Amino acid sequence: RKEVEQDPGPFNVPEGATVAFNCTYSNSASQSFFWYRQDCRKEPKLLMSVYSSGNEDGRFTAQLNRASQYISLLIRDSKLSDSATYLCVVNAPDRGSTLGRLYFGRGTQLTVWP
Amino acid sequence: DTAVSQTPKYLVTQMGNDKSIKCEQNLGHDTMYWYKQDSKKFLKIMFSYNNKELIINETVPNRFSPKSPDKAHLNLHINFLELGDSAVYFCASSQPGLAGGRTDTQYFGPGTRLTVL
């Protein structure tokens, strides 16, 4: 079973639409959660961290449900520039180490069309 | 100033050759990583070094050998390249968090696109 599971999409939405991505993780000891964005042929970059209380950054809202081990990302008023792959990322203890490590989901592809 | 840099950006080579990819970070981070992203876009960790010491070594063929001369550099040497090694290789760095604690942002290099013919 993969540590982080995401619907790979693709999601194709018109400008102005609201779109939601979901992700589940398997390790209940996971402590930190993130959404990264990866543009075509570029490196992944941090979009936002995800907190239990939920957090918002402009048009982006991230939610965490620890009981269900579920993370979500909501994008409102989609822009053409939002087209990218969105990676769900979880920090969990690494076996045999005191250091956490990041586990990446496969990513959900989003295309926003005019 | 580039935070995490990799060279080369593109690498095209024949099967059986040996090649190296270099990575440098100027962020003062203690931890560096190598990831492989294959054609299906799945990002998999290969190695992680913390202060020049290997801390994560996933199931990677021993043809892949990382080397960290200092905590700002993590190079990847690949022997006897195979067709299946074709992928994008990303270097990254971060400040580590304790297990169960918050980990600072992981910063990625621009990637090295390796094509084995």
Side-chain angles (χ1 to χ4, degrees), chain B residues 28-69:
Chain B
H29 289 163
D30 289 335
T31 306
M32 296 184 72
Y33 311 81
W34 276 110
Y35 288 88
K36 178 180 179 180
Q37 189 169 45
D38 58 27
S39 57
K40 295 183 180 177
K41 307 300 182 188
F42 194 44
L43 199 62
K44 293 181 185 178
I45 192 165
M46 300 173 69
F47 301 103
S48 175
Y49 271 72
N50 185 59
N51 271 325
K52 302 193 296 174
E53 287 192 28
L54 181 66
I55 56 171
I56 294 175
N57 184 353
E58 289 295 286
T59 308
V60 176
N62 57 15
R63 298 181 294 104
F64 290 79
S65 51
K67 282 191 172 51
S68 182

Side-chain angles (χ1 to χ4, degrees), chain A residues 36 44, chain B residues 3-4 27 29 91-94 105-109:
Chain A
Y36 275 67
Chain B
V4 182
L27 298 166
H29 289 163
C91 177
S93 75
S94 72
T105 302
Q106 204 158 110
Y107 293 85
F108 284 81

Side-chain angles (χ1 to χ4, degrees), chain A residues 41-95:
Chain A
R41 303 178 80 87
K42 297 284 190 182
E43 71 272 24
K45 291 183 179 177
L46 179 69
L47 177 66
M48 59 195 303
S49 300
V50 189
Y51 306 116
S52 295
S53 53
N55 50 300
E56 190 174 306
D57 182 2
R59 298 179 294 107
F60 299 83
T61 301
Q63 294 277 355
L64 166 65
N65 184 322
R66 285 187 184 271
S68 303
Q69 296 181 196
Y70 172 93
I71 306 161
S72 66
L73 176 68
L74 183 76
I75 305 176
R76 290 181 301 278
D77 189 22
S78 299
K79 310 290 184 194
L80 297 178
S81 57
D82 294 335
S83 297
T85 297
Y86 291 83
L87 303 168
C88 179
V89 184
V90 169
N91 174 36
D94 189 37
R95 52 189 180 279

